[in-house]
Amino acid sequence: MKLHEFQAKHVLSEAGIPIPEGRIAATPEEAEAAASELGPPVVVKAQVHVGGRGKAGGIKLARTASEARDHARAILGMEIKGLVVHRVYVERAAKIAQELYLGVTIDRDRRRPVVMLSTVGGMDIEEVAATQPEQIARGWPDPLLGLQQYAARSLCFAAGVPEEQREHVVGEHVVDIALRLYGVFQHNDAMTVEINPLFIQEDGSVIAGDAKLEVDDSALHRHGHLHAMKEVAPDEEQEEAAKALGFSYVQLDGDVGIIGNGAGLVMSTLDAVRNAGGRAANFLDVGGGAKEPVVKAGLEIVLANPKVRSVFINIFGGITRGDEVAKGILAVLADTKPRVPLVIRLSGTEAEAGRKLLEGAPLVSRATMDEAAAEAVRLASAGAPVS
Ligand code: GDP
Ligand code: MN
């Protein structure tokens, strides 16, 4: 789960990390009022769940309150990487002398958190990592010990953080902020927490210019206050609906919708689609012993994904019965005519009964998983939606 900048900054602030004072606004008038309250100059910042807002024109400096209103009018409703801006964060502008990068994320290769610090801040960190990897200092704290002060300090030396921000407390210094940020990472079960840029201001004080916090969904139940901040993006709606129904559903980026019974079978189904030259649109396991309503709900979720151009239903019945699967599919077909072709491979318990029920229904049946996968892939790329 991703948080908005203003939410992430709130979490950082609670942990003692200095942030500029700011207000959230949903209208140009609210932005103007916020700017007068804070005292310009202020920055008006689009609140969407993506980075690179600056480059996209979603961040603007305002010297007066009425300028803040005009900027808010321009930014609200704007689309950044496909996401519509509904709110702006109005924040007192920083007096920037230098921009650093500070972040904590999971290093999957090392199976540890990695703390990264760089004096090349404000930019796309992936680009810095690719083009000037030596500019990023990294440390891998032992997860049981956490980030130790000496380790944070040696990161500062390695990155070349100026002495004033390393040693003296002018406001807070970088070592201190790194320790606090690591605490935020740990206490919130975060996947990533990042301050980019971390501003060194003209007076030497250090303050978070931006904040990104991504929390592990599987740990959200432990963090009620974060869960309350959850906003479902349009492209996550299917996943949320599926979760609410108790399905294991993962959205992928292909166009062949997948339904199977049992996680292992669904994994093999993804492979079969891949082997047939196609790309799966999702992973959906309806579980063992799925009855008609569950199959129906599962098929509806897969069909609701606009990227889907064919659906492959792969059932190898053990405790799942072929007749129940067939009834579930027929229930969907009774309600609506699917906009894409359906391909089924039905075998195992009551497969014969299931196939009988499906006789005459508008779907393609194949005897084996590979044949069905090939047909689903062919139909998806043939592209002509059945109308
Ligand atoms: P991102 O592009 O989505 O990562 O948004 P950021 O919050 O990182 O802002 C991008 C850039 O906007 C920063 O690197 C700064 O150069 C600029 N910026 C952000 N806040 C301020 C501010 O308070 N004052 C000034 N002058 N520039 C700012
Ligand atoms: Mn940023």
Side-chain angles (χ1 to χ4, degrees):
M1 171 202 161
K2 288 179 184 167
L3 277 78
H4 285 298
E5 176 193 4
F6 76 97
Q7 298 166 328
K9 277 186 168 157
H10 178 75
V11 175
L12 297 193
S13 171
E14 300 250 282
I17 295 172
I19 59 165
E21 208 185 325
R23 307 264 187 279
I24 194 80
T27 64
E29 292 68 36
E30 281 175 22
E32 181 176 20
S36 333
E37 229 179 284
L38 295 166
V42 295
V43 275
V44 181
K45 311 182 77 177
Q47 298 298 290
V48 279
H49 286 149
V50 286
R53 297 163 300 161
K55 272 189 207 152
I59 295 179
K60 291 194 155 78
L61 184 75
R63 279 162 212 86
T64 63
S66 69
E67 202 182 334
R69 183 195 57 213
D70 295 342
H71 287 332
R73 185 170 291 135
I75 293 171
L76 288 165
M78 168 190 257
E79 232 182 68
I80 301 179
K81 296 182 185 164
L83 298 176
V84 178
V85 181
H86 296 296
R87 280 171 300 179
V88 290
Y89 191 48
V90 182
E91 186 177 75
R92 196 171 283 150
K95 294 195 174 66
I96 307 163
Q98 197 181 345
E99 300 189 7
L100 309 181
Y101 170 94
L102 176 63
V104 188
T105 190
I106 307 276
D107 185 329
R108 290 178 195 275
D109 292 336
R110 299 211 185 200
R111 302 180 189 179
R112 284 190 173 201
V114 55
V115 184
M116 291 176 285
L117 178 62
S118 175
T119 51
V120 185
M123 289 169 58
D124 184 356
I125 196 67
E126 281 80 14
E127 196 185 315
V128 177
T131 57
Q132 323 167 51
E134 72 289 347
Q135 296 282 2
I136 303 174
R138 294 180 174 84
W140 293 266
D142 182 319
L144 297 180
L145 296 175
L147 181 62
Q148 300 292 304
Q149 186 163 23
Y150 74 88
R153 177 172 298 229
S154 82
L155 266 180
C156 284
F157 273 101
V161 170
E163 188 187 350
E164 301 77 64
Q165 282 75 31
R166 207 169 59 215
E167 308 293 344
H168 306 289
V169 183
V170 194
E172 304 284 341
H173 57 69
V174 176
V175 172
D176 185 64
I177 292 173
L179 296 173
R180 290 176 191 273
L181 193 69
Y182 190 84
V184 167
F185 176 81
Q186 201 167 30
H187 297 139
N188 294 289
D189 293 305
M191 312 281 283
T192 296
V193 60
E194 204 176 77
I195 304 176
N196 185 28
L198 176 64
F199 291 135
I200 297 178
Q201 301 195 94
E202 285 162 4
D203 65 1
S205 64
V206 185
I207 193 165
D210 187 12
K212 177 174 162 187
L213 177 55
E214 206 172 329
V215 180
D216 186 346
D217 279 315
S218 304
L220 261 189
H221 65 277
R222 294 204 282 226
H223 309 287
H225 63 296
L226 296 178
H227 201 175
M229 297 179 189
K230 184 160 183 134
E231 282 171 30
V232 179
D235 65 337
E236 295 165 350
E237 271 164 20
Q238 260 109 2
E239 221 163 292
E240 288 303 309
K243 263 183 212 146
L245 289 166
F247 289 128
S248 310
Y249 179 96
V250 181
Q251 185 111 359
L252 304 169
D253 51 13
D255 55 10
V256 180
I258 306 285
I259 300 179
N261 63 311
L265 179 66
V266 180
M267 293 296 277
S268 319
T269 309
L270 300 185
D271 288 346
V273 165
R274 186 86 207 179
N275 288 342
R279 290 163 63 87
N282 69 278
F283 173 104
L284 175 60
D285 171 15
V286 289
K291 292 271 195 291
E292 171 187 335
V294 174
V295 174
K296 177 174 190 267
L299 182 52
E300 282 169 346
I301 283 169
V302 171
L303 285 168
N305 178 356
K307 286 192 194 146
V308 163
R309 295 164 77 94
S310 73
V311 178
F312 177 12
I313 304 158
N314 189 13
I315 304 295
F316 186 80
I319 52 172
T320 305
R321 299 165 51 114
D323 53 341
E324 289 293 332
V325 172
K327 283 186 214 160
I329 296 169
L330 290 172
V332 173
L333 293 173
D335 285 357
T336 48
K337 196 156 195 246
R339 56 177 182 85
V340 299
L342 308 181
V343 180
I344 188 168
R345 175 262 190 155
L346 189 55
S347 79
T349 310
E350 297 295 340
E352 204 44 57
R355 270 196 291 274
K356 246 193 200 100
L357 284 168
L358 291 173
E359 256 167 41
L363 83 181
V364 183
S365 180
R366 288 288 180 270
T368 68
M369 171 156 82
D370 287 335
E371 286 168 289
E375 185 61 9
V377 170
R378 191 185 69 75
L379 288 167
S381 59
V386 288
S387 54

